Amino acid sequence: NIPLKCLCLSGNSIEDEGIDALVSSLPKCSKLEELHLSENGGFSAVGLKSLSNVFQTGLNLTQLHLRDNAIDDEGLMALVQGMKSCRSLAKLDLSHNNAVTAVGLQALLRAGRSSLKELELWGMRIGDDGAKVIADELVGNNSMERLYFCPGYSNVTSKGWSAFSRILCDTSSVNDTYISNHTISNIGGYQSHSAPNTTRFHLFLNTNFHSKEVATLKLLMHHGDIDMIPFFRWKLMFLPLVVDWFQRARPCWEAIHLMVPGEQILQFDDMSALHGFFTEEPEAYQSRELSAMYKFVRGMPMLAVGKEEEE
């Protein structure tokens, strides 16, 4: 075995035959973690199909760099065939492969759903279609943490950013908010300056709090008056859980108010949905808890009446 952890073959004009020869020799590098094959002029679907076999060799490859290789959708879909069973690949760099469209990105994200933590798409015009596909595939994805692209070059407009905002915090219902993406910490550039303020704020939450705390904060911020009716079926057995949730949520409420000055949020008109939360006093939080308990207890007689009418 060759004790090699990183192999860099970028800028060597490697073609499909070279890829095939490389893959056949890689099992000798059992400790290999990073493979750099950027700027080699171009790989066809045939070469990328051969490269996909690297995921079947037993290597624990964590990084694969393929920037600027004229990869298109056909080639990318050939590559991802081997990724479906891969559990080690955490970083993939596809930057400057401009022929890749939303079709290829969808296939990639579905194949790398279980392990991919970082995806680099610098210098690619993914557009709103690509943004929507990526956003849709990030629903329920608990592994992806960083998605990089050039916001000013990517052709992503407010429509595309809206798709990203929705997966970060879908306020349609309590359940939709709870199952939103609380893992990804970066979308766009390193600071995501071109992203809407609400998107940047939700990314800030994902970065600085545990996913369970993020879910709690998003619920507190966007559902000030939580509907208790869906919980009536558990009757009074659920009441202690309601009380316990508010008690566990209290430190999250206190932490975010200490971390983010309310005045900072109030200056942005596009964050008006959060203005009420950041002007909330501690007494108002306690009122929320009491209100939820009151509505729950008050609903019990209604449930009993409904049951009598059924009988």
Side-chain angles (χ1 to χ4, degrees), residues 158 161-162 165 192-201 270:
S158 58
W161 282 113
S162 177
S165 294
S192 301
H193 287 310
S194 64
N197 288 314
T198 50
T199 303
R200 292 173 59 192
F201 180 71
D270 61 345

Side-chain angles (χ1 to χ4, degrees), residues 7 20 55 64 99 219:
L7 178 60
D20 194 47
F55 300 115
L64 179 59
L219 287 172

Side-chain angles (χ1 to χ4, degrees), residues 39-112:
E39 301 173 5
N40 273 295
F43 298 145
S44 73
V46 174
L48 290 166
K49 175 62 177 174
S50 296
L51 184 58
S52 75
N53 292 325
V54 77
F55 300 115
Q56 316 295 327
T57 60
L59 293 177
N60 290 317
L61 201 64
T62 60
Q63 294 189 28
L64 179 59
H65 297 257
L66 295 171
R67 66 166 54 203
D68 200 6
N69 277 311
I71 297 172
D72 57 13
D73 287 340
E74 183 184 5
L76 185 55
M77 286 190 281
L79 174 69
V80 301
Q81 289 303 310
M83 288 179 60
K84 292 179 179 179
S85 59
C86 179
R87 296 293 180 270
S88 61
L89 189 67
K91 178 178 180 177
L92 177 62
D93 186 358
L94 287 173
S95 302
H96 300 284
N97 287 294
N98 291 302
V100 173
T101 70
V103 175
L105 291 173
Q106 183 178 57
L108 165 66
L109 289 168
R110 288 184 177 178

Side-chain angles (χ1 to χ4, degrees), residues 10 24 30-31 40 42 44 52 73 90 112 120 133-134 159 239 242-243 252 254 268 279:
S10 297
S24 65
S30 59
K31 297 185 182 297
N40 273 295
S44 73
S52 75
D73 287 340
E120 296 194 15
V133 162
I134 294 172
K159 182 179 178 181
L239 184 57
V242 174
V243 175
C252 296
E254 293 172 345
F268 298 113
T279 55

Side-chain angles (χ1 to χ4, degrees), residues 147-274:
L147 170 66
Y148 294 125
F149 57 85
C150 301
Y153 180 82
S154 62
N155 288 343
V156 175
T157 69
S158 58
K159 182 179 178 181
W161 282 113
S162 177
F164 286 131
S165 294
R166 190 164 51 253
I167 63 107
L168 285 169
C169 188
D170 187 345
T171 60
S172 301
S173 69
V174 169
N175 190 58
D176 287 330
T177 301
Y178 184 76
I179 64 174
S180 295
N181 189 297
H182 311 310
T183 306
I184 192 163
S185 60
N186 200 308
I187 296 177
Y190 287 108
Q191 299 297 328
S192 301
H193 287 310
S194 64
N197 288 314
T198 50
T199 303
R200 292 173 59 192
F201 180 71
H202 288 132
L203 289 171
F204 167 82
L205 293 180
N206 287 5
T207 302
N208 291 280
F209 292 88
H210 186 275
S211 59
K212 290 184 178 179
E213 295 173 332
V214 175
T216 297
L217 283 169
K218 290 175 182 177
L219 287 172
L220 289 173
M221 290 175 184
H222 296 283
H223 300 279
D225 188 26
I226 298 177
D227 184 11
M228 291 289 109
I229 293 178
F231 306 117
F232 284 176
R233 55 182 165 171
W234 285 292
K235 302 180 181 179
L236 288 174
M237 292 184 296
F238 198 78
L239 184 57
L241 297 179
V242 174
V243 175
D244 181 62
W245 186 86
F246 274 101
Q247 289 177 346
R248 286 186 290 109
R250 183 66 181 253
C252 296
W253 185 94
E254 293 172 345
I256 195 63
H257 277 80
L258 286 172
M259 190 179 293
V260 180
E263 297 78 13
Q264 184 176 332
I265 301 298
L266 295 175
Q267 66 180 310
F268 298 113
D269 292 337
D270 61 345
M271 297 185 71
S272 59
L274 299 177

